[in-house]
């Protein structure tokens, strides 16, 4: 059974190689401007869950995940050619809402900073 450290190294390598493939080789415009935020490989190396996000607010998350699902065979084949494993994990794609949540929290904190009076009593 692989160690958790080995699974993490494989996940990091998949993330790096996938980012390179998306940057240089993916011809589908639906895969453009998408960030791979994380990869989690299960204990048996049979599945890799890939978390996606995009900076484009006009693109619905469902559309991004579906586009990656359709390109999954191509991406798995390209990754398997770059990362030598006896059997390459199946790819699952999921939306990562973390960047959106982080931006929302930052907006809320900025709003609180504007409303909170400074040490001298005036609003800063």
């Amino acid at each position: 059974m692989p160690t958790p450290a080995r699974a993490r190294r494989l996940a990091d390598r998949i993330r790096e190689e996938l980012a390179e493939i998306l940057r240089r080789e993916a011809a589908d415009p639906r895969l453009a401007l998408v960030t791979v935020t994380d990869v989690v490989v299960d204990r048996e190396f049979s599945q890799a869950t890939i978390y996606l996000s995009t900076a484009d607010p006009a693109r619905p998350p469902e559309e991004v995940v579906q586009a990656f699902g359709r390109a999954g065979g191509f991406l798995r084949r390209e990754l398997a050619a770059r990362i030598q494993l006896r059997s390459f994990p199946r790819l699952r794609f999921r939306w990562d809402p973390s960047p959106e949540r982080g931006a929302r929290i930052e907006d809320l904190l900025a709003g609180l900073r504007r409303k909170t009076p400074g040490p001298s009593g005036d609003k800063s």
Side-chain angles (χ1 to χ4, degrees), residues 15-62:
R15 186 175 43 78
E16 292 168 6
E17 293 293 343
L18 188 55
E20 188 68 22
I21 291 167
L22 292 174
R23 189 174 326 126
R24 294 183 184 215
E25 298 175 28
D28 190 341
R30 295 174 298 176
L31 305 181
L33 298 175
V34 174
T35 302
V36 177
T37 58
D38 196 16
V39 176
V40 177
V41 178
D42 69 351
R43 292 183 348 178
E44 292 81 28
F45 289 3
S46 63
Q47 288 193 352
T49 304
I50 299 168
Y51 293 92
L52 308 166
S53 182
T54 183
D56 184 1
R59 295 183 62 192
E62 300 82 23

Side-chain angles (χ1 to χ4, degrees), residues 2 6-8 10-12 14 38-51 76 79 85 87-94:
R6 186 168 177 229
R8 185 73 244 160
L10 176 60
D12 289 343
I14 289 173
D38 196 16
V39 176
V40 177
V41 178
D42 69 351
R43 292 183 348 178
E44 292 81 28
F45 289 3
S46 63
Q47 288 193 352
T49 304
I50 299 168
Y51 293 92
R76 184 176 183 214
L79 287 167
L85 290 174
S87 153
F88 201 82
R90 286 176 286 149
L91 305 178
R92 295 186 320 181
F93 299 97
R94 300 284 185 263

